[in-house]
Amino acid sequence: MTAPHYLPLPDFTTLPSPVYFRYDEFPAGSESLEHRHDWGQLNYTTQGIMHLRVEGKRFLSPPQYAVWIPPGAAHGSYNPNAVIYRSVYIDSTLCGDLPTQACTVAITDILKAILVDFARRGVHEPEHESDQRLARVMLDQLSLSAQGVPYFLPYTDHPVLGGVLEALRDNPADNRTQVQWARLANMTERTLARLCHRELGMPLGEWRQRLRYLLALEALEQEHSVHAIAYDLGYSNPSAFIAMFRRLAGTTPEQYRRQAGRG
């Protein structure tokens, strides 16, 4: 049995600067033991899917979506596959406009551009005035973005809806409509729609697309062709799959694969 690869935790107790940027690459099977610190933290990946637990709740961080961890929250992570990791540590005095609970954050174009620029230049501490201005814009963008659905792919303990989600996880290519799922669950379509809104915060169709997106990321990293992935996930043609992927990733599957290959 392979021993787990434990990731290093920050070796400082106070931040080197009010906003601090971290860049790393973690191998498959790596994990971070549960810990907490006095600053807030934005975790995201440019390749791979990071699995996090924050105060006992499960979060996923695929590319284009980050996970916000407020100051003092106990958290750890696990990476079943290799990830290219990015993180922003934010002093608690700058977290007043940010959520007090962990949540999923969509990376806006402006936020992404700043993060990519800092990573390209290897900026850990914004020292120059121009970089400090960019860091302030990043904080503004983050406060605007961190108001959406708490989880990228939420789950539920509801026995009926949970059964539907489990069936989709077992067969993500299942294209039954919400009407058909409602009939299978012995309820009306309206009742199922209300249940999805209450338990998931999104329609069933959106949940299925997000599940397919996560599976597509894994398949792309395993060098499966776009055509094969599209058909395996239940799409009648690659164009529909590419449109879904672009909406969630901000790029096409092949562009994502090329970017991942460049590391």
Side-chain angles (χ1 to χ4, degrees):
M1 184 176 179
T2 304
H5 178 97
Y6 292 112
L7 301 174
L9 300 179
D11 59 359
F12 44 76
T13 55
T14 58
L15 289 180
S17 62
V19 181
Y20 180 84
F21 296 84
R22 177 184 175 187
Y23 317 108
D24 217 328
E25 296 185 21
F26 300 147
S30 56
E31 63 180 288
S32 166
L33 296 176
E34 184 174 89
H35 61 287
R36 66 178 79 227
H37 37 64
D38 294 335
W39 55 83
Q41 182 174 349
L42 186 72
N43 286 280
Y44 68 104
T45 69
T46 60
Q47 178 189 343
I49 304 168
M50 177 171 280
H51 297 240
L52 300 105
R53 293 195 71 84
V54 186
E55 297 291 0
K57 297 179 180 179
R58 180 171 176 256
F59 292 84
L60 296 174
S61 176
Q64 202 70 12
Y65 295 85
V67 173
W68 165 248
I69 302 173
H75 60 281
S77 67
Y78 175 69
N79 308 301
N81 299 302
V83 300
I84 297 178
Y85 173 74
R86 305 285 183 258
S87 185
V88 185
Y89 297 160
I90 303 173
D91 190 271
S92 60
T93 60
L94 300 176
C95 295
D97 293 330
L98 298 175
T100 57
Q101 301 293 323
C103 64
T104 299
V105 179
I107 302 293
T108 65
D109 290 342
I110 296 175
L111 185 55
K112 180 179 180 180
I114 295 173
L115 295 172
V116 167
D117 176 59
F118 277 15
R120 179 181 59 81
R121 293 187 288 121
V123 175
H124 293 280
E125 303 174 40
E127 298 177 348
H128 301 294
E129 184 178 345
S130 59
D131 284 343
Q132 291 173 359
R133 286 198 299 269
L134 285 175
R136 288 194 291 270
V137 172
M138 183 210 69
L139 291 174
D140 290 340
Q141 286 291 307
L142 181 56
S143 65
L144 293 173
S145 301
Q147 307 300 329
V149 176
Y151 306 99
F152 179 78
L153 192 71
Y155 291 90
T156 177
D157 293 327
H158 190 280
V160 176
L161 182 56
V164 172
L165 302 186
E166 187 64 33
L168 285 171
R169 285 197 294 268
D170 291 341
N171 182 18
D174 193 321
N175 280 318
R176 273 180 281 199
T177 65
Q178 185 163 283
V179 172
Q180 292 171 318
W181 281 113
R183 289 174 182 165
L184 192 66
N186 295 315
M187 63 177 64
T188 66
E189 181 187 8
R190 181 175 296 181
T191 299
L192 179 57
R194 286 200 300 264
L195 195 57
C196 289
H197 178 74
R198 187 186 76 202
E199 297 289 324
L200 306 177
M202 65 182 68
L204 183 62
E206 173 67 16
W207 192 93
R208 177 167 51 193
Q209 286 198 356
R210 292 187 177 208
L211 172 67
R212 289 173 169 177
Y213 169 63
L214 294 176
L215 295 172
L217 292 175
E218 295 178 353
L220 285 167
E221 291 169 12
Q222 293 168 7
E223 299 299 324
H224 295 184
S225 73
V226 171
H227 280 69
I229 297 170
Y231 293 131
D232 287 347
L233 293 179
Y235 290 92
S236 58
N237 61 77
S239 297
F241 163 67
I242 291 170
M244 176 279 293
F245 193 94
R246 184 193 291 273
R247 181 178 70 85
L248 291 175
T251 186
T252 68
E254 285 297 351
Q255 288 170 339
Y256 170 82
R257 199 201 305 269
R258 287 196 296 271
Q259 292 166 0
R262 289 196 299 267

